[in-house]
Amino acid sequence: MSSSSKLSVTSPAKAGSSSGEKQSLLKQSKAVWAVFFASIIAFMGLGLVDPILPAIAKNLQATPSQVTLLFTSYNAVMAVAMLITGAISSRLGIKWTLLTGIVIIAVFSALGGMSNGIWTLVGLRGGWGLGNSLFVATALAAIVSLSKNGTAKAIVLYEAAVGLGISVGPLIGGWLGGISWRGPFLGVAALMVVAFIGLITLMPKSASKDPKTIQRKTSVLDPFRALKHRSLLVFGISAALYNFGFFTLLAYSPFVLGLDEHGLGFVFLGWGILLAITSVFMAPKLQLRFGTVKSMCAMLTLFALLLVVMGVWTNIQWVLIVAIILAGAVLGNNNTLITTAVMNSAPVERATASSAYSFLRFIGGAIAPYFAGKLAEWYNPHVPFIVGAGFVLLSVLLIWINTKHLKHVDDAFEGH
């Protein structure tokens, strides 16, 4: 979510006002669609790996907590890299930052598919995280900057790409994982080649002629300076807390579901489909009806309740399956809500705001997977879900007690 587009959010209403917002969401330039489809493929990478976590543990003789380090190294590198993606993209430009990220993902995922030890694989996932940070961070800023339909619709389009990638990924991952646990890693590498060809062909050589994409060189200190704005800090810490629940569901639940690669693929396919549908169609309606902050609190509360259900009835397979799929609907709404809120949270460039937010968010994503695995080893399989629910409720509490500092987020959205 970070490039360095010279867009200020001090007047967010202007960014999405006038005729642009009245245009169809589907009326976009080739450059936007190139980033959109590449984003789908990039987010397939997350879902592709999920169904094979138990298989990796079995084949590499690793414990569940060791396997969850695949998410920890990935997210830890992403968290740190988010601080420099703005500085890198402001020097390389949007197009070459995206392409660099794709190349890094392809190389490290291919090497991961050829590795023979859990610790080697964990290290290679960290390299994958570096590539993903360059691509994912820049992709959101690119779509927002290049879209002619305003910030709100651009974010919906980005979240649609996220949802489609996450939903299709597990199905392909389950199919490839049924052949070999190495299949999804090599599959990601192959898909990244397709994404590379699409971007280098369809994106313009330079976007500098478009005033929306003019870039200035930024400092790695800019995201830290941005966190002086209380609203952005609140959203970042809330996302870090909420990620404890998110990655408990994503990284730990495959170990207690008792399903093979194909079964896990179908469960997370259902999860991803609901995530995609709600992020595009339901979240904007919730924003209009109840406001961004209230809707976010409601979705996070529902997510916490689903985690409690999973924690109480961990031994009942169908309960876990239904809860995971329903969680997709809640998470889809929340992803769009919080992304929109962050884009309008502080009077700084969108690129800088998203870098600061993502740094905090991925710290939570780095700690949570390993922590969930260790809780199960120390106590029992129920505890990770209950603890995850507690962290999600803490995020709700943090947002709620800072409501007066977040009011301008809804004011900005109403201006679109």
Side-chain angles (χ1 to χ4, degrees):
M1 292 175 235
S2 160
S3 101
S4 289
S5 127
K6 203 171 186 177
L7 293 173
S8 171
V9 296
T10 50
S11 300
K14 294 180 182 179
S17 60
S18 73
S19 59
E21 281 295 328
K22 297 177 183 178
Q23 295 177 3
S24 168
L25 179 67
L26 300 180
K27 290 184 178 179
Q28 303 287 352
S29 66
K30 289 182 179 180
V32 171
W33 286 120
V35 178
F36 175 80
F37 287 113
S39 297
I40 293 176
I41 296 174
F43 278 97
M44 279 185 186
L46 186 64
L48 274 167
V49 176
D50 209 49
I52 60 168
L53 295 177
I56 292 174
K58 179 180 179 181
N59 284 277
L60 298 183
Q61 299 179 337
T63 65
S65 62
Q66 288 174 334
V67 174
T68 57
L69 284 172
L70 294 174
F71 286 93
T72 295
S73 62
Y74 177 82
N75 286 317
V77 172
M78 282 192 73
V80 175
M82 285 298 174
L83 297 174
I84 62 172
T85 52
I88 292 173
S89 64
S90 66
R91 288 158 176 79
L92 292 181
I94 288 177
K95 179 175 181 178
W96 291 106
T97 303
L98 291 173
L99 292 173
T100 300
I102 285 176
V103 170
I104 294 173
I105 293 171
V107 170
F108 280 94
S109 59
L111 291 173
M114 295 182 283
S115 64
N116 294 306
I118 185 62
W119 299 114
T120 301
L121 193 57
V122 167
L124 291 170
R125 274 284 283 182
W128 186 341
L130 173 61
N132 218 54
S133 68
L134 290 171
F135 179 85
V136 172
T138 311
L140 174 57
I143 288 179
V144 171
S145 300
L146 296 170
S147 175
K148 299 178 181 178
N149 292 354
T151 302
K153 287 186 177 180
I155 290 172
V156 168
L157 190 66
Y158 174 79
E159 293 297 341
V162 173
L164 287 170
I166 290 177
S167 62
V168 176
L171 188 63
I172 298 175
W175 175 65
L176 292 174
I179 301 171
S180 169
W181 69 265
R182 302 177 188 275
F185 286 91
L186 300 176
V188 168
L191 289 170
M192 284 295 105
V193 173
V194 176
F196 183 90
I197 295 172
L199 279 180
I200 204 166
T201 302
L202 297 177
M203 279 198 77
K205 292 181 179 180
S206 173
S208 60
K209 294 181 181 180
D210 186 341
K212 281 188 175 183
T213 60
I214 295 175
Q215 296 179 308
R216 69 171 181 85
K217 291 184 179 180
T218 60
S219 166
V220 294
L221 296 178
D222 285 351
F224 290 108
R225 297 188 184 108
L227 290 175
K228 293 178 181 178
H229 298 281
R230 186 162 178 169
S231 54
L232 183 58
L233 181 63
V234 167
F235 286 131
I237 296 175
S238 297
L241 294 170
Y242 140 73
N243 261 356
F244 273 86
F246 180 87
F247 279 98
T248 295
L249 182 145
L250 194 65
Y252 174 69
S253 63
F255 293 102
V256 294
L257 275 170
L259 297 171
D260 62 12
E261 293 85 353
H262 296 289
L264 289 170
F266 280 114
V267 169
F268 283 96
L269 171 66
W271 173 78
I273 288 174
L274 284 186
L275 187 148
I277 291 173
T278 54
S279 66
V280 175
F281 299 106
M282 189 174 177
K285 293 181 180 179
L286 290 174
Q287 284 177 304
L288 287 172
R289 181 79 180 271
F290 304 106
T292 304
V293 176
K294 287 183 179 179
S295 298
M296 196 185 307
C297 288
M299 292 301 105
L300 289 173
T301 302
L302 288 174
F303 181 43
L305 291 175
L306 286 171
L307 287 172
V308 169
V309 169
M310 294 174 71
V312 174
W313 290 285
T314 308
N315 297 326
I316 304 178
Q317 188 183 66
W318 72 266
V319 172
L320 291 181
I321 292 173
V322 172
I324 288 171
I325 294 174
L326 290 177
V330 175
L331 295 172
N333 281 317
N334 189 68
N335 286 349
T336 296
L337 291 167
I338 198 166
T339 303
T340 305
V342 168
M343 289 293 100
N344 294 315
S345 63
V348 298
E349 292 180 339
R350 292 189 180 105
T352 302
S354 59
S355 290
Y357 160 75
S358 296
F359 168 67
L360 294 176
R361 176 167 67 112
F362 286 114
I363 287 177
I367 299 171
Y370 183 71
F371 186 55
K374 295 305 290 185
L375 285 174
E377 293 175 11
W378 292 336
Y379 301 104
N380 59 63
H382 303 264
V383 174
F385 297 112
I386 301 298
V387 173
F391 276 107
V392 174
L393 288 175
L394 280 177
S395 73
V396 177
L397 180 62
L398 180 62
I399 293 172
W400 191 255
I401 63 178
N402 284 280
T403 301
K404 68 177 182 179
H405 300 287
L406 308 176
K407 185 178 182 298
H408 66 282
V409 171
D410 283 319
D411 293 339
F413 180 77
E414 289 169 4
H416 283 286

